[in-house]
């Protein structure tokens, strides 16, 4: 039986908003943060505007939805390639819903709506290969 492979990921998150002052007042402290990844570009983010964040920056809720969508896409493309299906276009209009509960919240759903285009005849080539 093959041994499972572990994959490790690491990021360093820094609250850069601290430079503007501490959290003495909920309404005024900065929610801005930076994420550094070794050997990759850094990313700047903030809270969702509903939680007093900067609307020009990505927020954790955006990033969760795109993480699920991109993981699904990359898995789909890999499986298609392994099965001999040629995907020539892939789009997904993903949407998530977070329900606020008291001082916190939780995601209640993320819906993926992928639209996949195969190369002309790709599905026929795969069907022929299965019958050989």
């Amino acid at each position: 039986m093959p041994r499972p492979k572990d994959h490790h990921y690491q990021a360093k998150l820094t609250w850069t908003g601290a430079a503007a002052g501490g959290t003495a007042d909920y309404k005024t402290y900065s929610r801005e943060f930076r994420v550094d990844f070794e050997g990759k570009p850094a990313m700047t983010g903030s809270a969702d505007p509903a939680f007093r964040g900067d609307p020009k920056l990505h927020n954790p809720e955006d990033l969760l939805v795109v993480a699920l969508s991109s993981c699904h896409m990359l898995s789909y493309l890999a499986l298609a390639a392994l099965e001999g299906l040629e995907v020539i276009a892939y789009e997904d209009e993903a949407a998530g819903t977070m329900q606020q509960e008291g001082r916190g919240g939780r995601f209640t759903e993320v819906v993926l709506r992928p639209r996949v285009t195969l190369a002309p005849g790709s599905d026929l080539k795969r069907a022929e290969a299965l019958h050989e």
Side-chain angles (χ1 to χ4, degrees):
M1 186 157 134
R3 186 169 172 248
K5 296 179 183 178
D6 291 339
H7 301 274
H8 301 275
Y9 305 92
Q10 190 170 338
K12 179 183 177 187
L13 182 129
T14 304
W15 175 43
T16 55
T23 58
D25 179 29
Y26 177 81
K27 293 180 181 180
T28 60
Y29 76 89
S30 171
R31 273 75 169 166
E32 190 169 311
F33 61 88
R34 185 183 72 239
V35 184
D36 292 294
F37 308 89
E38 189 173 329
K40 300 175 186 175
M43 184 200 84
T44 303
S46 183
D48 182 280
F51 306 109
R52 301 185 177 275
D54 185 338
K56 294 178 247 155
L57 298 175
H58 299 295
N59 63 62
E61 295 80 12
D62 291 334
L63 298 174
L64 176 64
V65 171
V66 78
L68 294 170
S69 178
S70 60
C71 184
H72 181 269
M73 178 196 69
L74 293 168
S75 297
Y76 184 93
L77 295 176
L79 290 172
L82 290 169
E83 291 298 321
L85 295 170
E86 185 182 356
V87 176
I88 59 171
Y90 184 108
E91 293 180 352
D92 185 10
E93 294 190 25
T97 302
M98 188 183 79
Q99 186 175 67
Q100 191 170 348
E101 298 170 342
R103 291 184 164 184
R106 64 185 176 95
F107 267 77
T108 56
E109 72 175 358
V110 174
V111 177
L112 306 180
R113 296 177 183 88
R115 290 188 358 204
V116 179
T117 304
L118 298 177
S122 181
D123 53 342
L124 296 175
K125 288 182 216 172
R126 175 66 184 135
E128 290 169 1
L130 290 173
H131 293 306
E132 290 178 358

